[in-house]
Amino acid sequence: MKKSSAKGGLKFDTKWSYAPAPETPDHIQLKEKYDLFINGKFTAPSSKKYFDTINPATEKKIASVADANAADVDKAVTAARTAQQKVWSKISAAERGKYIYRIARVMQEKARELAIIESIDGGKPIRESRDIDVPLAAAHFFYYAGWADKLEYAFPGKKPAPLGVAGQIIPWNFPLLMAAWKIAPALAAGNTVVLKPAETTPLTALKLAEILQEADLPPGVVNIITGAGATGAAIVNHPGIDKIAFTGSTDVGKIIQKALAGTDKKYTLELGGKAANIIFEDAAIDQAVEGIVNGIFFNQGHVCCAGSRLFVQEGIAKEVIRKLKDRIQTLIVGDPLDKNTDIGAINSKAQLNKIKSLVQIGIKEGGECWQSDCDVPSKGFWFRPTLFTNVAQSSTIVQEEIFGPVLAIQTFRTVEEVIEKANNTPYGLSGGVWTDKGSKVFKVSSKLRAGVIWANTYNKFDPTSPFGGYKESGVGREGGLHGLSPYLKMY
Ligand code: ADP
C-alpha cells in the first residue's frame, strides 16, 4: 500500500498493510479438458473443436473446453425433450423438489472448491465468490426446491404446467449464480434445460454438471454445453426450444428478441444497466460512501445493476467526493484468491480494452478523471478504481454502460431535478437512494423508472425477491414467484 497519496489526500503507513492471505487452490479438482454435458454424460463435441479458458489474473490457461456447434445443440435439445416427456414430467412434483434440494446440498458441500474456481476463471475476489456467489446460488436451489410441489398454491386458481425445454444463456459476471437463477426455477416448474455459460467463464457450470451427476439427476434433465455467441444463437434458433432465458448485453438481447419475434417461444431478457445512486444532504454520509463503493467497485464493476452514476446533493458534494477518494485509496486491487483483495482482475482483455477506451472518451469529452494510485500486478488484466467529475448528462460515460470500476459523479439541487436526471437513460435496471427521510425514499423510488431500488443500502439480493429491468434493461423478472411464472403455462 502507498505511504502517501497526493491524489487521494489520505496518508497510509506501511505498517497498516495487510499480509497476503491467499486461499490455496491446491485441493480443487479440475480436468485439463472438458467435453459437453449432454444426457447425463460428458460427450466429445461433433465440432471436434475446443477453446481455452484462461485465468485473467495470470493470463495462464486453466483448461480447454468444447466448442458446441449446431449439431451438438440439437443433441442437447433432443436429450432435454426426451427427459422432459419421459422422466421429469412423469415423476411427482415432490420428487422433483427432492432432486433440487439435493443439488443445493451438494453445492454447499463443495462451496470452497466452487468459490476458488469462480475466482480463478472469472477474476473476482474470493471474498465475493465465497460469501456471495456460491451461498446465493445454493440458496436459489433451496428456495425453488420448496415451490416444486406447491405450484398450485403459488398461483391460486390456476393450473400451472411446464413449458417444456428451456434454453438458457448466461454471462461471465456471476457464472454459477446466473446458472442457479435460471436452472432452479426451470426445474421446479417441471421443465428441462439446455444451458450455455459464457465462453470466458465456463468452469463452475461444468463443475455444476458434476454436481448434477452426484445428485443423480436423471440424464437429460439439465444439459450444459459450452461455446461462444454462435452456440448461443444455435440455442435461440433451435425449433425444439420452448423458452429462452438470457442474461447479457443489451446488444445481444436485441438480436435474440428479433430472432424470437414471430415464433411462439417465450423469453425473459436481463440486460444492461446504468444505475443511479442518489445521496441527499440528510443521508448518513459515511454509510452512503461505503454503499457507493460497494455498488460500483464490487466485482470490478462487472455488475449489470452497478451504481455507475452517482448523484450528490450540492451541499455535500465536496465532502462526499473527498470521502470517496479517501476510501478508494484503501481498496486493494490484485490477486483474486487473496482474502484481502477488494477488486480482482477484469474478466478478459476485450473487456479491459472496452473500459480503457470508454475512459479515454470520458477524458476527451472534458470529464475530470481521478484514479486510485494503488499498485496493480504486472501480469493479468487490471483497472484501478476511477472517478469522473465535471461530466454532463450527454457525456458518453454517463450514458453508456462501462461494466468496469468507473463512477461518474454529478450534482443536483432538488428532488425533481435528480429524478429527471436519474431517469435520463435508456436503461432501467436498478438504483439507490440515500436519505434519512422515509418519505423521500418513497417519493424518489416510486418515480425512478428502474426495476430494483435499494434504500440506504446497495446490491442486496435474496432468492425470494424479484429482479429485472425497465426499458432497455430487459423483459421479465427473475427470483421469487415472478421468476417462476415465466417457466409455466397457466390454465
Ligand atoms: P457481454 O457483453 O457481457 O460479454 P454478451 O451479451 O456478449 O455479454 O454475452 C452473454 C452471453 O450471450 C454469453 O454466453 C455469450 O456467449 C452469449 N451470446 C453472445 N452472442 C450471442 C448471440 N448472438 N446469440 C445468443 N447468445 C449469444
Side-chain angles (χ1 to χ4, degrees):
M1 210 181 273
K2 293 275 166 297
K3 255 206 155 253
S4 69
S5 153
K7 292 189 210 164
L10 194 69
K11 295 200 186 320
F12 297 100
D13 191 294
T14 42
K15 76 183 174 194
W16 293 110
S17 298
Y18 292 97
E23 179 71 68
T24 168
D26 294 350
H27 62 286
I28 62 165
Q29 292 181 356
L30 278 174
K31 295 189 257 184
E32 281 179 11
K33 184 167 137 182
Y34 280 92
D35 286 319
L36 306 170
F37 184 69
I38 298 177
N39 210 20
K41 288 197 202 79
F42 283 95
T43 313
S46 324
S47 69
K48 298 196 172 57
K49 286 192 192 147
Y50 291 82
F51 60 94
D52 291 346
T53 182
I54 66 158
N55 180 338
T58 61
E59 298 176 54
K60 286 198 184 129
K61 173 181 168 182
I62 311 172
S64 54
V65 177
D67 190 2
N69 63 15
D72 296 309
V73 169
D74 186 53
K75 273 189 212 159
V77 175
T78 305
R81 173 69 56 199
T82 309
Q84 208 278 329
Q85 288 173 346
K86 303 220 161 119
V87 186
W88 204 237
S89 62
K90 296 279 186 272
I91 62 175
S92 72
E95 277 303 301
R96 285 206 309 266
K98 278 196 225 164
Y99 280 112
I100 306 169
Y101 268 122
R102 206 184 282 165
I103 296 166
R105 295 299 302 271
V106 184
M107 226 175 194
Q108 283 186 319
E109 280 164 22
K110 295 185 187 296
R112 188 153 172 242
E113 190 182 8
L114 289 167
I116 292 171
I117 296 172
E118 202 71 300
S119 283
I120 60 176
D121 202 22
K124 65 170 58 196
I126 188 76
R127 240 176 29 217
E128 277 167 28
S129 43
R130 182 196 64 193
D131 298 347
I132 298 169
D133 296 63
V134 178
L136 210 47
H140 277 77
F141 279 100
F142 276 120
Y143 171 72
Y144 282 111
W147 279 122
D149 62 348
K150 301 174 198 73
L151 297 177
E152 285 172 22
Y153 301 96
F155 305 102
K158 304 251 164 98
K159 275 209 164 304
L163 297 174
V165 178
Q168 307 183 323
I169 300 163
I170 57 174
W172 42 260
N173 58 344
F174 290 90
L176 185 69
L177 181 58
M178 290 297 118
W181 272 27
K182 294 201 163 31
I183 295 175
L187 296 190
N191 303 277
T192 55
V193 165
V194 175
L195 174 117
K196 188 193 88 63
E199 51 273 38
T200 56
T201 54
L203 293 180
T204 44
L206 293 162
K207 286 308 273 186
L208 177 60
E210 293 174 3
I211 289 173
L212 303 178
Q213 285 180 322
E214 205 174 318
D216 258 341
L217 189 73
V221 171
V222 174
N223 304 275
I224 297 179
I225 58 174
T226 43
T231 312
I235 297 175
V236 170
N237 294 313
H238 194 290
I241 293 281
D242 298 297
K243 183 219 153 70
I244 289 290
F246 172 78
T247 299
S249 60
T250 295
D251 288 347
V252 173
K254 285 180 184 169
I255 295 173
I256 293 177
Q257 209 168 14
K258 275 192 196 140
L260 297 181
T263 72
D264 59 359
K265 291 175 193 169
K266 297 214 165 351
Y267 59 87
T268 41
L269 308 171
E270 199 254 286
L271 309 174
K274 194 74 191 175
N277 226 338
I278 301 169
I279 314 188
F280 287 97
E281 278 166 3
D282 56 21
I285 291 180
D286 291 340
Q287 188 187 330
V289 165
E290 205 51 40
I292 288 152
V293 166
N294 170 43
I296 178 67
F297 301 121
F298 162 85
N299 200 17
Q300 301 72 253
H302 293 345
V303 188
C304 35
C305 52
S308 53
R309 292 179 300 152
L310 174 63
F311 292 97
V312 192
Q313 202 160 14
E314 225 167 63
I316 53 165
K318 263 199 186 144
E319 183 186 359
V320 168
I321 293 169
R322 178 178 55 78
K323 287 190 165 175
L324 264 174
K325 287 182 177 173
D326 286 349
R327 178 67 179 99
I328 290 166
Q329 284 291 16
T330 69
L331 296 177
I332 300 171
V333 181
D335 181 7
L337 287 186
D338 192 317
K339 289 163 209 136
N340 296 318
T341 294
D342 298 298
I343 301 181
I346 300 300
N347 182 261
S348 65
K349 190 158 200 176
Q351 186 57 28
L352 178 60
N353 289 340
K354 184 183 163 196
I355 298 168
K356 283 182 177 166
S357 99
L358 279 162
V359 165
Q360 281 315 312
I361 292 172
I363 294 168
K364 255 197 211 142
E365 288 180 352
E368 207 168 290
C369 178
W370 177 93
Q371 267 188 332
S372 155
D373 58 4
C374 61
D375 294 325
V376 296
S378 53
K379 244 203 129 38
F381 313 134
W382 310 97
F383 201 81
R384 294 184 174 88
T386 301
L387 298 184
F388 268 95
T389 48
N390 199 29
V391 290
Q393 283 289 79
S394 57
S395 303
T396 306
I397 54 159
V398 170
Q399 288 297 322
E400 279 193 28
E401 187 179 37
I402 302 176
F403 228 63
V406 181
L407 178 64
I409 305 176
Q410 296 174 81
T411 57
F412 68 92
R413 288 187 184 164
T414 64
V415 173
E416 287 67 29
E417 179 191 349
V418 77
I419 289 169
E420 195 177 322
K421 284 182 164 171
N423 282 335
N424 180 10
T425 164
Y427 297 108
L429 191 57
S430 57
V433 185
W434 299 84
T435 168
D436 199 30
K437 298 257 179 306
S439 56
K440 225 183 261 173
V441 168
F442 286 115
K443 177 162 185 191
V444 176
S445 56
S446 65
K447 296 212 164 129
L448 287 180
R449 299 285 297 156
V452 181
I453 311 292
W454 287 286
N456 294 324
T457 186
Y458 208 85
N459 269 338
K460 289 280 180 288
F461 287 91
D462 188 278
T464 62
S465 174
F467 181 83
Y470 285 60
K471 300 191 273 186
E472 293 198 13
S473 290
V475 177
R477 297 288 178 265
E478 291 185 298
L481 286 180
H482 296 72
L484 195 54
S485 57
Y487 286 98
L488 291 161
K489 284 182 255 194
M490 306 281 186
Y491 294 107

